[in-house]
Amino acid sequence: LIRRQRQMCIRDSVWNDPYSWRHPREATFEPEELAFSDKDFPHFKNNGVYFMAYFNGGWILMSSCFEWEYGPLEGYGAYALVSEPDGTRHFAKHKMSREVIVKKPGKLYLKGDKILVEGMGMEYRVRYDFDGFFCDLTYKNILNPWKPGDGWTFLTPGRDVFNHYLVNSPWAEVTGAMKVGGKTLDVEGQGYSDRSLSALPLTKQNTYLYAWRTFSPEGAPRKERWFCGLLESVSHEKFGSTRIPMLQIAHGAEWVLTTMNYTLTPATWVKKPDVPYEYPTIIKVCSNDQGYRFRGKFICRELFDFTDIFSELPDWLRKMAEKFLDRPVFFRSKGELHGAITCPDGHSETFRLEGAVEYMVVK
């Protein structure tokens, strides 16, 4: 009974405050919430900003700039993962020391020797120039910045284990330049960006994650475009295997539905000979909330990345991690979302969106 009450208490603290879900146009957060701070926490700290873009022609970019800290150990870094239209994969990363980092209060601003991310309100910039990758991109928001509920998920009654999450660019037009694989491109397309901060025991990280960001195809008139984004993770069983869900749907330049009330069902699984684990290739979502009825099915057309996080660690740290930690693995696929939504007034729409899905599992 005590355990059940504790789990209910934890679940009740998942992105509390229903107002922002029902009124996304009015959702807001303080500028300081975007800023990188030097505050310490008693657990493994992961503090980052994520940028995703789906460029015209079928290029995909996923990138992150982040800070981590665990006791006396700390570091800063950035990575860029690119898929060419034919599925060719490029991955580049860069490490930084605290001495080269510059932060500013009251906005998103993190500058290192070869990286810069900055912005607030309706515009953001990401500039990377490290070995194997260059980009200088501007994200101009179509939708206002938003956060799910109050942005916090507390996984312990003492609130020392948590996730904090803000969506600074729920849906943006992206323009700029990118150089990768010996190719220099002027790029334009659609994108997404979020800010996250978590404090979790290193041996009790979240066990699952599903995420997709999908957009109307190139050439669709601005007023007829759709966007659908999904992010869902599940906490470690020590913290109740708590489901942390988020679904966003928008049309034209307006929010349609933001909700945590939906079901997610991986419908088909495959295992390729060169990949040690299986991953979903069809993922279904159903929601009936706020008078809307939504049915969606993401179909993975091509797996373009499999990443074993342990393979990114130095040899000495990998050997230690393999003894004491679970193994997070990422699968990233490009594909399309087939969706149908019925509005409270009875009007129905169908759409086919393009983008990418990420699936992470701890093995």
Side-chain angles (χ1 to χ4, degrees):
L1 178 62
I2 294 175
R3 183 180 179 184
R4 185 180 302 171
Q5 290 174 338
R6 180 175 178 272
Q7 289 178 345
M8 290 177 63
C9 177
I10 291 173
R11 291 191 177 96
D12 286 345
S13 69
V14 173
W15 288 333
N16 211 343
D17 182 10
Y19 190 86
S20 72
W21 295 98
R22 293 184 171 273
H23 306 276
R25 297 173 188 82
E26 301 173 37
T28 185
F29 47 79
E30 297 300 321
E32 289 74 16
E33 294 183 77
L34 279 175
F36 279 77
S37 75
D38 291 321
K39 186 175 180 180
D40 296 325
F41 300 100
H43 302 291
F44 178 77
K45 172 185 176 183
N46 191 345
N47 193 12
V49 57
Y50 172 84
F51 289 93
M52 181 271 179
Y54 189 75
F55 296 120
N56 295 346
W59 290 78
I60 294 173
L61 168 67
M62 297 178 177
S63 73
S64 180
C65 181
F66 54 87
E67 167 199 14
W68 63 268
E69 183 178 297
Y70 187 57
L73 303 175
E74 64 178 13
Y76 288 84
Y79 76 81
L81 172 64
V82 175
S83 174
E84 296 191 29
D86 65 1
T88 300
R89 172 190 182 275
H90 303 277
F91 182 79
K93 60 183 179 180
H94 178 62
K95 296 180 181 179
M96 298 168 286
S97 65
R98 178 182 290 272
E99 288 70 28
V100 303
I101 297 296
V102 178
K103 306 174 184 178
K104 293 184 179 180
K107 64 181 295 187
L108 173 61
Y109 188 94
L110 189 72
K111 184 178 184 298
D113 52 350
K114 297 183 179 181
I115 67 99
L116 171 66
V117 293
E118 64 175 336
M120 62 183 299
M122 297 291 282
E123 187 168 324
Y124 299 85
R125 182 190 181 197
V126 51
R127 189 181 194 279
Y128 297 155
D129 188 4
F130 45 80
D131 291 345
F133 184 74
F134 167 84
C135 74
D136 193 348
L137 304 172
T138 299
Y139 282 63
K140 292 187 176 181
N141 283 14
I142 296 168
L143 300 173
N144 56 282
W146 175 81
K147 66 180 177 183
D150 61 1
W152 292 94
T153 296
F154 294 106
L155 298 176
T156 56
R159 298 192 167 194
D160 60 319
V161 176
F162 63 82
N163 296 286
H164 185 234
Y165 189 78
L166 308 172
V167 188
N168 49 290
S169 283
W171 186 15
E173 293 182 329
V174 187
T175 57
M178 184 169 70
K179 183 176 181 179
V180 63
K183 300 176 182 179
T184 302
L185 308 166
D186 291 324
V187 292
E188 61 176 319
Q190 302 171 72
Y192 167 96
S193 176
D194 62 44
R195 267 286 283 124
S196 61
L197 169 66
S198 65
L200 297 166
L202 198 53
T203 57
K204 297 177 177 63
Q205 301 291 301
N206 290 357
T207 56
Y208 287 94
L209 178 143
Y210 293 88
W212 72 53
R213 284 92 197 186
T214 57
F215 314 89
S216 286
E218 176 183 355
R222 168 100 289 286
K223 292 183 178 181
E224 297 177 15
R225 291 182 187 175
W226 286 85
F227 164 77
C228 180
L230 178 142
L231 177 66
E232 177 169 324
S233 60
V234 177
S235 72
H236 191 276
E237 63 180 359
K238 175 71 173 181
F239 306 123
S241 298
T242 302
R243 181 170 169 259
I244 308 170
M246 181 188 79
L247 176 67
Q248 304 164 298
I249 301 173
H251 181 227
E254 298 292 334
W255 291 101
V256 174
L257 175 66
T258 59
T259 182
M260 56 190 300
N261 299 316
Y262 64 87
T263 60
L264 183 151
T265 308
T268 304
W269 296 82
V270 301
K271 182 183 178 301
K272 292 190 174 183
D274 56 340
V275 178
Y277 308 111
E278 64 178 4
Y279 64 96
T281 57
I282 295 179
I283 305 168
K284 296 181 179 180
V285 169
C286 299
S287 179
N288 295 287
D289 191 31
Q290 302 174 41
Y292 291 90
R293 182 176 186 271
F294 173 69
R295 301 292 181 269
K297 178 171 68 174
F298 191 98
I299 302 172
C300 302
R301 297 300 186 192
E302 182 177 16
L303 178 72
F304 67 86
D305 176 69
F306 167 74
T307 298
D308 179 345
I309 295 299
F310 281 8
S311 68
E312 301 298 320
L313 301 175
D315 288 342
W316 67 271
L317 186 55
R318 184 187 311 128
K319 293 176 181 178
M320 184 170 60
E322 288 173 345
K323 291 181 179 180
F324 300 105
L325 304 179
D326 292 327
R327 179 185 300 268
V329 294
F330 281 84
F331 301 83
R332 296 174 174 103
S333 303
K334 60 178 62 178
E336 56 191 43
L337 175 70
H338 297 260
I341 190 167
T342 301
C343 302
D345 64 2
H347 175 71
S348 296
E349 294 272 3
T350 61
F351 47 78
R352 184 188 69 84
L353 311 183
E354 300 173 350
V357 66
E358 298 179 83
Y359 167 65
M360 185 277 291
V361 62
V362 173
K363 291 292 186 179

